[in-house]
Amino acid sequence: MSPKLPSGPGRAAEDSAVQVAVRVRPLLPKELLHGHESCITVQPAQRSLTLGHDRHFACDFLFEEACCQEEVYAEAVQPLIEAFFQGFNATVFAYGQTGSGKTHTVGEANI
């Protein structure tokens, strides 16, 4: 029987070995300059988001544009670090197309 991983907020631990965290990055200055608007609508209570008008996605953790690095770390990463020190395997990686906000999420947000 495999051990249960730390669970997301308000969610019971499940047998899934993968948890998905989504952080919506703020628009870049050049995007604002050109009058662009966000195409993402978030429903934080349901931990879901909508891309455009009809592409709906659910996730284990959802961080809105205004969240800070500390919040992302405390909620999504720190429990994995603690589990790692208890002998569990853990991996955190950022995935997405160029310009989607990986560096903003994982690194320093110097925009």
Side-chain angles (χ1 to χ4, degrees):
M1 176 176 203
S2 52
K4 297 200 184 291
L5 295 173
S7 60
R11 168 188 142 149
E14 296 179 0
D15 290 328
S16 174
V18 176
Q19 294 181 347
V20 175
V22 175
R23 183 178 188 190
V24 179
R25 73 158 171 81
L27 293 175
L28 299 172
K30 68 180 179 180
E31 293 168 335
L32 294 171
L33 182 66
H34 289 97
H36 295 176
E37 296 179 7
S38 179
C39 62
I40 298 173
T41 305
V42 297
Q43 295 83 32
Q46 292 81 26
R47 291 187 316 270
S48 66
L49 59 102
T50 303
L51 179 60
H53 298 288
D54 58 356
R55 298 185 67 198
H56 308 285
F57 301 91
C59 55
D60 298 295
F61 301 92
L62 179 59
F63 302 98
E64 297 184 74
E65 296 176 15
C67 81
C68 63
Q69 298 292 88
E70 291 80 13
E71 182 181 349
V72 174
Y73 176 79
E75 291 187 35
V77 179
Q78 187 174 10
L80 294 174
I81 301 295
E82 293 170 2
F84 173 77
F85 284 115
Q86 294 174 7
F88 295 94
N89 292 325
T91 301
V92 176
F93 70 95
Y95 176 81
Q97 73 182 69
T98 300
S100 63
K102 296 178 301 292
T103 300
H104 177 77
T105 296
V106 176
E108 302 247 347
N110 294 327
I111 44 178

